[in-house]
């Protein structure tokens, strides 16, 4: 399945009025257990590149406070406000989760694993955690991390990613999450190529080995959904 198949599925679900009501009483259309090739940056609508750039910079800052998304110059998006406590604190700064010492430098661990064993199935960065059951509502938060884990595979000279998500909003969530995952995938490719180049210069590895290329992103979501307020975009 590709993005076009997901798009057609939701168009049909809306046409057939196959609704599920969420905890707020809002109707949604949903797909359970979806798995598809993320071959387009958007399912419905157009990516907001200005916001995407700001969110990625915020992720890279490792700040768990949503007021830092725009450096205090403007209000953070409503979706983040809904997730944060009264101090602006959330759990889902994805840069913090994969780069920081607090969460065991998973990005660096994945690079080391891929360098040691290019055929590995262990190059996983875990975003969610068992303790989220008590942390998601800590001090008034409402942030149960949406991404479970991402695993990376070197196959046929390309680095591929498999993204596994607990929950994903089709309209805004997918666009922003896709941009982040593509950013990390490209950075991994660059860092692995740099490390391989240094190894070759030092006399290790295959001197004729070609650089890795960016591969495919497979998107797996336990609950992929569109909120009623976005039904007009399902077309």
């Amino acid at each position: 399945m590709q993005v076009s198949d997901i798009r057609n599925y939701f168009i049909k679900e809306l046409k057939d009025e196959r609704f599920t009501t969420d905890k707020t009483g809002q109707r949604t259309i949903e797909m359970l257990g979806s798995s598809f090739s993320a071959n387009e940056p958007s399912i419905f609508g157009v990516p907001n590149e200005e916001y995407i750039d700001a969110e990625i910079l915020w992720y890279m800052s490792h700040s768990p406070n949503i007021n830092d998304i725009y450096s205090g110059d403007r209000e953070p998006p409503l979706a983040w406000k809904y997730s944060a406590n009264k101090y602006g604190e959330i759990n889902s700064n994805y840069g913090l989760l994969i780069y920081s010492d607090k969460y065991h430098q998973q990005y660096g661990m994945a690079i080391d694993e891929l360098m040691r064993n290019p055929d590995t199935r262990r190059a996983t960065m875990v975003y969610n955690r068992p303790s989220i059951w008590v942390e998601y509502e800590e001090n008034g938060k409402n942030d149960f991390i949406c991404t479970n884990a991402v695993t990376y595979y070197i196959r046929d000279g390309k680095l591929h990613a498999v993204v596994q998500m607990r929950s994903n909003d089709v309209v805004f969530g997918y666009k922003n999450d896709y941009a982040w995952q593509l950013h990390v995938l490209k950075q991994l490719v660059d860092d692995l190529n740099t490390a391989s180049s240094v190894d070759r210069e030092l006399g290790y590895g295959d001197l004729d080995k070609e650089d890795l290329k960016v591969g495919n992103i497979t998107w797996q979501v336990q609950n992929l959904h569109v909120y009623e307020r976005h039904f007009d975009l399902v077309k």
Side-chain angles (χ1 to χ4, degrees):
M1 291 185 75
Q2 298 183 333
V3 166
S4 59
D5 298 304
I6 301 299
R7 188 178 294 124
N8 290 334
Y9 170 88
F10 279 102
I11 290 171
K12 186 176 187 304
E13 289 293 284
L14 181 59
K15 181 180 179 181
D16 293 344
E17 298 186 351
R18 293 175 58 85
F19 303 128
T20 300
T21 303
D22 71 8
K23 64 183 179 182
T24 68
Q26 182 176 193
R27 294 184 303 172
T28 67
I29 44 179
E30 64 181 12
M31 175 185 282
L32 301 182
S34 64
S35 182
F36 59 97
S37 175
N39 63 322
E40 296 181 42
S42 174
I43 300 174
F44 296 108
V46 178
N48 182 337
E49 298 296 343
E50 180 186 11
Y51 173 73
I52 284 170
D53 289 345
E55 185 173 80
I56 289 175
L57 285 173
W58 174 58
Y59 283 161
M60 297 303 290
S61 78
H62 302 183
S63 169
N65 197 299
I66 64 170
N67 295 310
D68 294 330
I69 295 175
Y70 290 119
S71 302
D73 292 338
R74 66 179 93 166
E75 290 289 307
L78 287 176
W80 280 119
K81 285 185 172 182
Y82 178 73
S83 299
N85 63 22
K86 64 181 181 181
Y87 307 107
E89 297 167 338
I90 48 82
N91 300 315
S92 296
N93 183 301
Y94 284 173
L96 178 68
L97 296 179
I98 67 170
Y99 293 115
S100 70
D101 291 341
K102 181 177 181 179
Y103 297 108
H104 310 291
Q105 298 182 8
Q106 295 188 83
Y107 180 90
M109 294 287 192
I111 286 181
D112 290 345
E113 176 65 22
L114 290 162
M115 291 292 292
R116 280 193 302 266
N117 178 12
D119 298 320
T120 187
R121 298 184 293 270
R122 296 176 178 172
T124 297
M125 300 182 203
V126 179
Y127 285 63
N128 219 328
R129 51 191 184 263
S131 59
I132 198 65
W133 276 107
V134 293
E135 295 170 352
Y136 86 92
E137 56 183 359
E138 185 178 51
N139 298 323
K141 295 177 188 173
N142 183 34
D143 186 17
F144 201 117
I145 298 168
C146 290
T147 301
N148 286 331
V150 184
T151 306
Y152 300 89
Y153 302 92
I154 296 174
R155 300 292 185 269
D156 301 319
K158 296 180 180 180
L159 183 67
H160 304 283
V162 178
V163 178
Q164 297 169 303
M165 302 198 71
R166 173 188 65 80
S167 178
N168 200 203
D169 161 37
V170 167
V171 176
F172 289 133
Y174 172 80
K175 290 195 286 279
N176 300 334
D177 290 332
Y178 171 87
W180 168 250
Q181 296 301 342
L182 182 61
H183 170 82
V184 175
L185 181 61
K186 287 180 175 179
Q187 185 183 32
L188 270 172
V189 168
D190 287 345
D191 288 344
L192 285 166
N193 285 336
T194 298
S196 295
S197 177
V198 170
D199 279 356
R200 291 195 294 269
E201 289 177 5
L202 293 174
Y204 305 108
D206 185 354
L207 291 174
D208 297 322
K209 185 177 179 181
E210 293 185 3
D211 281 350
L212 276 176
K213 295 180 173 58
V214 174
N216 301 322
I217 301 177
T218 299
W219 211 261
Q220 299 179 338
V221 188
Q222 306 312 307
N223 188 297
L224 185 65
H225 51 268
V226 178
Y227 294 109
E228 185 173 3
R229 61 181 177 273
H230 296 142
F231 283 177
D232 62 313
L233 297 175
V234 178
K235 56 187 175 182

